[in-house]
Each structure stands twice: as structure tokens, then as C-alpha cells.
Amino acid sequence: MSDESGVLVLAGTPIGQAGDAPPRLAAELAGADVVAAEDTRRLKRLTTDLGIAISGRIVSYFEGNEAARTPMLVEALLAGQRVVLVTDAGMPSVSDPGYRLVAAAVEQGVRVTAVPGPSAVLTALAVSGMPVDRFCFEGFLPRKAGERARRLTALAEEERTLVFFEAPHRTEAALAAMAEAWGDDRAAAVCRELTKTHEEVRRGALRELVDWAAEGVRGEVTIVVTGAPGGPSIAGDPESLRAAVAEKEEQGMSRKEAIVEVARSAGVPKREVYNLVHGA
């Protein structure tokens, strides 16, 4: 048992390779009084990969029993125990069980800390090629078409890069709904099986990605979409587009990179910007 008592530890777990686990994760799992796991079978595989044994009590904590189990875990925290919460992959409470327990612990004055770990949100954002200076995470879109369309319409003017989780069998429908709401040419990236053996990042305009997804998508999926053009629109202003490319070249970008970045920011096809810059 740790000398530190009454602490809730949100432990990030690998989204793919066990070797990505931070060293502190093994220590926290081995020393916990209680480990609350979204899937106890996956926890067993993780501890085997890490070469550790859990001496504390293991309880399941998933969407179906989250409400019922939270008071029990808060009681353990108030009794001075160290509770470690792990989900199947990534950080607890980020589109995973955990928020309810964190809120209850905070309300009771219990200390909450975290073991930083891999995040599909940040990993997808980093490898997507989309702007990363400002972004927002929207989690999973609604399953029903009408609700999904309303959500996407509400985000039509969002200027920040958007990150979504999606089920593989709903990826085509989600991309098609995005194209309908935001236009076929909006740049996006579908990140599949990040850090795993069959990792794939497919980049392109939304319409291109819809056609790709129609062939079938497998594995864990994160979708990154560039935001709506911000400020005064330069989409229909050739001189502004040329000037924006020139400015980025002066900042050190190659012409190709500058054209791609300006096209994404303006929400226009790359070919249009290329033709303007090269006088085609």
C-alpha cells in the first residue's frame, strides 16, 4: 500500500503497443489498493505485458455499471485507499468511463491525479497534417442521422481543427455527413489503428475519404478535420490567396507546403491555389 492515502489516479494506458506505457503505470498498478478497470480481461493482458502482478482489489468499471460502482469507489477513497482507474486504451474520462468518478471525488475533496499516457486525440492530431495550433475534441458523433446532421451543422463555423472518434462501421456515414454539412473539399484525415501493426493515416478531401471508406474500414478510428476558414474569407480572392502563399514562403515554408497550408486555411482545393500561384 502507498503511504499516500485517499488518491484517485487516472492512469493512461497504451492505445496500441504495450511498450508505449509510461514506467509509472506499472508502479501504480502494482501498488494500488483498488484497480478499477473498464475491461478486466484487457487489464490482465496489460499486466502480463508489463510483467507485474496486482496485489490490490480489482473491480470492473464500465459504462453499464459506472453509476452503481462510483459510490463504492468514493467510499474506498474516503477510507484512505489509493484507487487507480484504467480504461481499455488512452486516458480515462476522455470518451471513456471516469468523468463521473472524478466529479464525485472532487466533490468529496479527494485528491485526483493522473499518470500521463498515450492519447488517440493528440496522436491523431499530430500525424494528421492538419493545423494544430488550435483544436477541439468532439468525441463520438450521434448515431442517428438526424442528430448527427444537426451536430455537424452547429459546427459549420468552427474555425479550430476538429477531432472525432468513430466506430469503423460508421466511418463512411460520418464522413459523408461531414461532406454534406461542410463541403466536399474540406481537408481531413482518417487515422486508423494508431501505433498498431496496421496503422494507417488516410488524408484527403472529405469526398475522397468517403469513397475510400466505402470499401470498408476496420480497427479503431479517429477523424481529424480542418476547421472553417476564419476571419475575412480569401476563398474567392485570387490576390489574397497568392499573397498568403508568398507570406508563408517568406516564413520558411516550401512553395508546396505553403500552397497546401493556404488551401486548407481558405477551404479551397489545392489545385485552385496551385493554378493561381503558377499562373495556370
Side-chain angles (χ1 to χ4, degrees), residues 114-129:
V115 177
S119 163
V121 176
L122 295 180
T123 302
L125 184 68
V127 303
S128 69

Side-chain angles (χ1 to χ4, degrees), residues 122 125-126 128-136 158-163 224-228 230 248 251 253 261 264-265:
L122 295 180
L125 184 68
S128 69
M130 304 294 109
V132 298
D133 53 335
R134 298 172 64 237
F135 73 94
C136 59
E158 175 57 65
E159 297 176 12
R160 294 172 294 179
T161 298
L162 296 141
V163 184
V224 185
V225 187
T226 192
K248 291 188 178 298
Q251 294 171 355
M253 281 189 180
E261 183 65 25
R264 284 176 179 156
S265 298

Side-chain angles (χ1 to χ4, degrees), residues 194-280:
L194 286 169
T195 78
K196 300 176 185 176
T197 302
H198 300 291
E199 176 181 278
E200 179 181 17
V201 179
R202 179 70 62 154
R203 304 175 182 87
L206 283 171
R207 176 48 54 188
E208 297 170 353
L209 294 173
V210 171
D211 294 339
W212 164 78
E215 299 177 5
V217 179
R218 300 179 65 181
E220 302 286 338
V221 173
T222 306
I223 301 172
V224 185
V225 187
T226 192
S233 176
I234 63 174
D237 184 350
E239 289 305 317
S240 295
L241 288 168
R242 292 191 192 98
V245 171
E247 181 180 353
K248 291 188 178 298
E249 286 186 276
E250 290 175 2
Q251 294 171 355
M253 281 189 180
S254 70
R255 176 163 292 186
K256 180 179 179 181
E257 291 171 333
I259 288 172
V260 170
E261 183 65 25
V262 169
R264 284 176 179 156
S265 298
V268 299
K270 288 181 290 185
R271 175 57 59 180
E272 180 178 333
V273 181
Y274 179 91
N275 289 340
L276 285 170
V277 171
H278 292 87

Side-chain angles (χ1 to χ4, degrees), residues 146-169:
E147 294 177 7
R148 182 171 56 218
R150 285 190 290 274
R151 172 79 65 81
L152 293 174
T153 298
L155 292 170
E157 301 302 318
E158 175 57 65
E159 297 176 12
R160 294 172 294 179
T161 298
L162 296 141
V163 184
F164 301 87
F165 286 160
E166 192 50 271
H169 62 280

